[in-house]
Amino acid sequence: MVWEMLLYIYILYSPDWHYRSTMPTFLFLYGALFAIVHSQLRFGIGFKVHYALLCLLCAPRAYKYYIHTEDTLAKRLAKLYVATLLIGAACWLCDRLFCKQIQGWYVNPQGHAVWHVLMGFNSYFANTFLMYCRAQQREWNPKIKHLFGFFPYVKIEKPKTQ
């Protein structure tokens, strides 16, 4: 999760970073150091707070790309990203808060499992939207297409260089 957010930070902030080689190096070292320390100390709530802070760091810049994007299909990806994040978080939170009550139900809705499924879609939608943004940054004329009429992906047309 942290590595994914570091990738998002790179895509969202790299166009404005003046020293291009230092940003990926810093993000890699930060991620590696965090992984090593977390594997030894098991942060628990600290991990969740850290992840939330990384998300909050990405949110304003992602919103900037969203409002400057004219493609409605790309905007839909961003909306699906936010929707799966919010619904997944609600499922996870309900599962955590009401676990004892839910266990007594005839059918357990498995909120934590639903969270995992929605976070999988969440990552896919976010990555696809950010691929679109990155292709726009590189002036590759991105278009959102759908595989089998359902799975969105980014098709790019790189300008021909002479």
Side-chain angles (χ1 to χ4, degrees), residues 109-124:
Q110 299 295 329
H112 190 87
V114 172
W115 175 79
H116 279 284
V117 170
L118 289 174
M119 289 302 102
F121 281 110
N122 175 271
S123 294
Y124 181 77

Side-chain angles (χ1 to χ4, degrees), residues 1-150:
M1 292 167 60
V2 170
W3 284 108
E4 181 179 31
M5 294 313 298
L6 294 176
L7 173 64
Y8 295 173
I9 288 169
Y10 175 75
I11 292 170
L12 293 168
Y13 288 94
S14 65
D16 298 330
W17 195 264
H18 298 291
Y19 306 102
R20 296 211 185 267
S21 64
T22 59
M23 185 179 203
T25 303
F26 169 76
L27 292 174
F28 173 78
L29 291 174
Y30 179 87
L33 180 65
F34 179 82
I36 291 167
V37 172
H38 180 61
S39 73
Q40 300 302 309
L41 300 179
R42 307 263 191 248
F43 294 133
I45 191 70
F47 174 80
K48 293 173 184 83
V49 169
H50 179 247
Y51 180 72
L53 289 173
L54 290 174
C55 288
L56 290 173
L57 183 63
C58 290
R61 187 57 70 102
Y63 181 71
K64 174 189 164 194
Y65 281 105
Y66 172 80
I67 61 174
H68 290 317
T69 297
E70 295 178 7
D71 188 327
T72 56
L73 293 175
K75 283 190 174 218
R76 182 182 297 159
L77 285 172
K79 289 175 186 175
L80 287 169
Y81 164 68
V82 172
T84 53
L85 179 66
L86 294 176
I87 294 168
C91 290
W92 176 81
L93 192 59
C94 287
D95 194 57
R96 296 271 303 174
L97 295 176
F98 305 114
C99 183
K100 296 214 185 294
Q101 294 87 345
I102 292 172
Q103 285 179 350
W105 294 2
Y106 181 72
V107 175
N108 186 337
Q110 299 295 329
H112 190 87
V114 172
W115 175 79
H116 279 284
V117 170
L118 289 174
M119 289 302 102
F121 281 110
N122 175 271
S123 294
Y124 181 77
F125 294 138
N127 287 332
T128 308
F129 177 69
L130 290 176
M131 279 187 251
Y132 180 88
C133 293
R134 185 65 174 170
Q136 270 189 324
Q137 292 170 1
R138 309 284 301 205
E139 298 177 356
W140 288 346
N141 193 24
K143 302 262 188 276
I144 302 295
K145 301 290 184 181
H146 289 84
L147 181 65
F148 305 121
F150 181 73

